């Protein structure tokens, strides 16, 4: 498929009809090919996982942590010190302010929400659900587009969501402040501050400072920043872009108790068999630890020790190996978008310097249709709307592209299909207008 | 210390006073020795953990499960098939009825309680908390003495506890039936059916059958049996005593949906780095899986694979190695109790054929005092009352002895102190009577 170099909005209907006929031929041929392509999977390729196979050789009979703990036995809810130091290297939070859990940072987010909602996030704090809102319901700010699992988790707790726009430098802070200043039922904000899912944007230093100040602006005195730094070190370029330290900004603002940061090694070592981190003020960690002590005897310290020994002090070097595999894939996606859709006026997309996604915005009202068209050919795309709470993209225009798992050939074939579907749907819309 | 061979209840006060004076001398000497002994720790000794060091050599570059899953990556909430088959070997539940989680079966119990309470344990079921009890509160049957973490977990959910006695063959079933037949707010029962914590009793075949029938007797139509088979294979004698299959009994009774069974490898391989199992009807597993899918992307399948390869088909052989370490410790505890307290009429104790505890019952009103006396010498005992809900032993007589973690010499010294404290406190009480 070759693209015209000028905007399709300037073509007349006859020109677009002729073009559509030609593209439809390609599409018909594609559907008869019964492809099996998949751009939904935000997970590492096997070659990336192999980079961490060395994990399995770290123990070698030595089960003793630096502080003398036998990591095979029960106990130690905070995690062993060398793993907390690894957390510092990844999350830019002091080791003493980190608690380590199992293989899922999402679970730590769940724990944090549940604790804040039902028990209070600090000793003596009123739980959100009893904080005297007339409706009995509370909500969180959700910058959109965003991460679908944040939304489903929030909803599963009966917590509402208030969307604000996500710009290239972070959430629309004026909107955020306006919402939270007057409404005490808004109890927090979700943030993916570096390589946000799905846009790949990095919050600016200014935005990080402003976020650290939010608890002083919020009507809710128990406002919490949920800082999911899932892609903290998942850079494609080196030296990597640097995210300002929320921990330091909050220390300056005196709002440390209101910041809860999350991270994990899921996309650093093994996606399903890593360790997860929560970083916060001691008052919060203590509270979480109390809750944890009721529901488990402790997390897998053996895996903590493996990770600390394998990754400690060499996280960036390890991530460069990931980048060597991933950057060509991201480059391919952006090149295909540029080649096939560039200048046509029918789509915009992000060019992330890290993370796991490229975000594609098509003409309003077309995302669902394009995902359906792609499905006809055998290309699976993330459900349109998935990047918005309740799966509802108000403009029906955002499509999330996950390039990491596919092999290069399949990725190129998938991008051919995707851009063809975008073109077809866009021509139909423009002609119908 | 040597014991008289006849009951102290038959001695006169003068005899007892003379005896007490002698024992008090020993006690005073002990306190000046500043011992550091501990019988609280229900965890494996290092030598037991070492039996499982082979776990670390199971992967050796081969990360593919039998069904072709790359266990390093995300996905697969039910667990890999070979680990579920290991679950069958341990729990006596079909592999298709097993879901595998992280390193903590307690967490699975938490998930089950939370699901039943807030969401309903089956699709379309009314959550316990909305089941129309006048008080809004529900409760569970707690056989006592029992496992302190069951109690604290239950209480943390705001669920009440109704005690029934635990006999040598299981809970007092007549009492259980009487309570649940008339009170729909009683939603379930906690069971540790084999080597119950702390008494070590094994539920009889008859009791297992009767427990499978309970949902048909209960006023609550959403009654659940919480079957924590924590010591399913933790035998000290071979061939081991066999627990009747609850799964089969429930299949006969048609109550499978009401049985939720738990197990783990915590005291088989590494206490803090094992895998956990929940076994139930498909309707329950599906529901738990729905909940799990909201809060994690999946559990550590790599550790599942390690465990399946290391233990599959040889669980009993492995547990015999544990028994070789543990049986001498249990024998020592029982021998010391017999030597020092036998025939005195001041204490009774259990002689378990497996599990992790020996349960000691002293004269009513003395458990707290004895634990306090022991503490003066430097011997830590599990808090008196810990084996009862809210830490309240109504007769103040049960003391849990955990012999596994201590080395033999320390265990013997600790038992000397313990029986001395029992004797002293008992003499005081008898003399005061």
């Amino acid at each position: 498929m070759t693209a015209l170099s000028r905007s399709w909005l300037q073509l007349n209907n006859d020109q677009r009809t002729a073009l559509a006929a030609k593209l439809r031929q390609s599409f018909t041929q594609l559907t008869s090919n019964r492809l099996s392509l998949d751009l939904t999977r935000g997970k590492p390729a096997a070659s990336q996982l192999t980079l961490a196979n060395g994990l399995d050789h770290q123990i070698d009979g030595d089960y003793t942590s630096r502080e003398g703990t036998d990591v095979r036995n029960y106990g130690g809810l905070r995690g062993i010190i060398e793993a907390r130091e690894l957390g510092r290297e990844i999350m830019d939070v002091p080791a003493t302010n980190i608690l380590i859990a199992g293989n899922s940072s999402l679970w730590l987010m769940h724990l944090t929400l549940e604790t804040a909602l039902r028990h209070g996030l600090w000793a003596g704090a009123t739980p959100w659900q009893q904080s005297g809102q007339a409706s009995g319901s509370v909500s969180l700010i959700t910058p959109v587009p965003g991460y679908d699992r944040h939304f489903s988790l929030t909803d599963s707790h009966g917590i509402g969501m208030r969307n604000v726009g996500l710009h290239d430098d972070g959430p629309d802070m004026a909107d955020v402040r306006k919402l939270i200043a007057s409404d005490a039922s808004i109890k927090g904000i979700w943030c993916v501050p570096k390589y946000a899912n799905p846009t790949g944007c990095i919050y600016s230093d200014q935005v990080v400072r402003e976020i650290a100040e939010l608890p002083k602006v919020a009507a809710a005195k128990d406002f919490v920043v949920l800082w999911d730094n899932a892609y903290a070190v998942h850079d494609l370029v080196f030296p990597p872009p640097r995210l300002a330290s929320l921990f330091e900004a909050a220390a300056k603002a005196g709002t440390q108790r209101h910041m809860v940061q999350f991270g994990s090694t899921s996309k650093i070592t093994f996606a399903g068999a890593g360790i997860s981190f929560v970083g916060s003020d001691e008052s919060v960690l203590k509270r979480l630890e109390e809750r944890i002590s009721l529901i488990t005897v402790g997390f897998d310290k053996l895996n903590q020790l493996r990770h600390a020994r394998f990754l400690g002090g060499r996280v960036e070097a390890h991530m460069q190996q990931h980048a060597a595999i991933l950057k060509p894939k991201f480059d391919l996606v952006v090149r295909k978008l540029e080649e096939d859709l560039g200048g046509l006026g029918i789509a915009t997309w992000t060019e992330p310097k890290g993370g796991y996604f490229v975000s594609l915005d098509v003409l309003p009202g077309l995302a669902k249709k394009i995902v359906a068209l792609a499905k006809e050919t055998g290309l699976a795309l993330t459900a349109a709307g998935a990047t918005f709470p309740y799966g509802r993209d108000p403009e029906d225009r955002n499509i999330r592209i996950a390039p990491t798992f596919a092999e290069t050939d399949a990725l190129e074939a998938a991008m051919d299909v995707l851009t063809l579907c975008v073109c077809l749907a866009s021509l139909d819309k423009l002609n119908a207008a």
Side-chain angles (χ1 to χ4, degrees), chain A:
Chain A
M1 181 177 59
T2 53
L4 296 174
S5 61
R6 64 185 168 127
S7 169
W8 286 2
L9 284 65
Q10 292 159 7
L11 300 182
N12 64 36
N13 268 11
D14 287 347
Q15 290 173 303
R16 288 195 290 242
T17 304
L19 198 53
K22 211 171 123 195
L23 296 181
R24 203 165 303 277
Q25 272 192 328
S26 310
F27 183 80
T28 306
Q29 195 175 340
L30 273 177
T31 53
S32 67
N33 286 351
R34 299 188 155 279
L35 302 169
S36 175
L37 299 167
D38 195 329
L39 287 181
T40 69
R41 292 171 293 193
K43 60 187 194 179
S47 55
Q48 292 178 261
L49 298 170
T50 299
L51 298 174
N53 282 4
L55 266 178
D56 210 38
H57 309 297
Q58 300 302 316
I59 297 300
D60 199 25
D62 178 4
Y63 295 92
T64 309
S65 78
R66 212 173 63 210
E67 294 182 323
T69 303
D70 184 336
V71 296
R72 300 171 299 183
N73 223 327
Y74 289 125
L77 292 187
R78 287 286 173 109
I80 59 173
I81 182 63
E82 50 265 68
R84 290 155 75 198
E85 285 174 0
L86 174 62
R88 178 191 61 199
E89 192 176 340
I90 293 171
M91 293 174 72
D92 198 13
V93 169
T96 48
N97 289 88
I98 289 178
L99 179 151
I100 308 199
N103 70 327
S104 169
S105 60
L106 191 64
W107 182 80
L108 277 169
M109 299 175 216
H110 164 71
L111 178 75
T112 303
L113 279 192
E114 192 203 32
T115 303
L117 188 65
R118 303 190 190 284
H119 310 277
L121 198 52
W122 311 278
T126 304
W128 285 352
Q129 67 179 8
Q130 291 163 23
S131 60
Q133 310 316 319
S135 68
S137 75
V138 298
S139 56
L140 296 174
I141 300 272
T142 40
V144 289
Y147 178 34
D148 53 350
R149 284 180 179 269
H150 287 166
F151 306 147
S152 52
L153 178 67
T154 305
D155 189 42
S156 80
H157 284 283
I159 298 173
M161 289 173 270
R162 304 287 295 268
N163 296 353
V164 302
L166 181 69
H167 303 312
D168 280 350
D169 64 348
D172 187 312
M173 293 306 293
D175 268 8
V176 171
R177 279 188 293 266
K178 199 172 142 193
L179 280 167
I180 69 175
S182 58
D183 185 346
S185 79
I186 302 180
K187 296 298 189 184
I189 181 171
W190 281 112
C191 299
V192 183
K194 192 170 172 187
Y195 309 131
N197 176 352
T199 73
C201 80
I202 303 177
Y203 291 16
S204 71
D205 293 2
Q206 174 66 20
V207 164
V208 173
R209 273 195 301 275
E210 292 181 31
I211 284 177
E213 298 276 346
L214 287 181
K216 303 205 272 192
V217 177
K221 291 307 151 210
D222 47 7
F223 188 91
V224 173
V225 173
L226 300 158
W227 192 256
D228 182 4
N229 207 349
Y231 309 103
V233 294
H234 302 58
D235 306 293
L236 296 174
V237 297
F238 298 87
R242 200 179 156 281
L243 176 71
S245 165
L246 181 72
F247 192 88
E248 282 171 24
K252 268 184 205 143
T255 57
Q256 303 99 313
R257 285 157 38 100
H258 298 265
M259 307 291 134
V260 189
Q261 305 194 42
F262 306 96
S264 82
T265 64
S266 289
K267 295 180 189 84
I268 300 175
T269 59
F270 296 151
I275 59 176
S276 60
F277 312 95
V278 57
S280 190
D281 186 63
E282 174 62 21
S283 58
V284 173
L285 295 188
K286 204 173 213 165
R287 192 72 171 162
L288 295 179
E289 200 177 358
E290 277 170 30
R291 295 287 311 148
I292 290 169
S293 72
L294 287 167
I295 61 185
T296 176
V297 186
F299 302 105
D300 186 337
K301 296 183 297 297
L302 186 50
N303 210 27
Q304 292 176 22
L305 187 58
R306 272 190 204 102
H307 276 79
R309 288 182 182 166
F310 179 66
L311 276 182
R314 56 173 291 275
V315 172
E316 185 169 317
H318 188 76
M319 296 315 291
Q320 285 178 335
Q321 296 178 287
H322 279 283
I325 296 168
L326 290 181
K327 188 156 191 305
K329 295 186 182 183
F330 276 79
D331 286 348
L332 186 155
V333 167
V334 170
R335 176 174 59 77
K336 294 295 290 184
L337 290 168
E338 186 58 44
E339 282 175 8
D340 296 349
L341 305 177
L344 303 186
I346 57 172
T348 58
W349 53 88
T350 59
E351 300 184 19
K353 293 191 167 63
Y356 263 62
F357 303 101
V358 172
S359 179
L360 173 66
D361 276 334
V362 295
L363 295 176
L366 290 191
K368 272 192 185 135
K369 190 171 173 184
I370 290 165
V371 171
L373 280 173
K375 196 181 173 187
E376 284 182 45
T377 71
L379 166 62
L381 291 172
T382 301
T387 52
F388 287 76
Y390 316 108
R392 289 196 296 262
D393 176 354
E395 297 194 86
D396 185 27
R397 66 183 306 181
N398 186 249
I399 294 174
R400 187 183 83 167
I401 302 172
T404 60
F405 190 70
E407 296 300 320
T408 308
D409 290 354
L411 183 59
E412 180 144 16
M415 288 306 298
D416 278 339
V417 178
L418 172 57
T419 58
L420 177 61
C421 295
V422 172
C423 288
L424 265 177
S426 302
L427 285 169
D428 279 359
K429 181 186 161 97
L430 293 172
N431 276 356

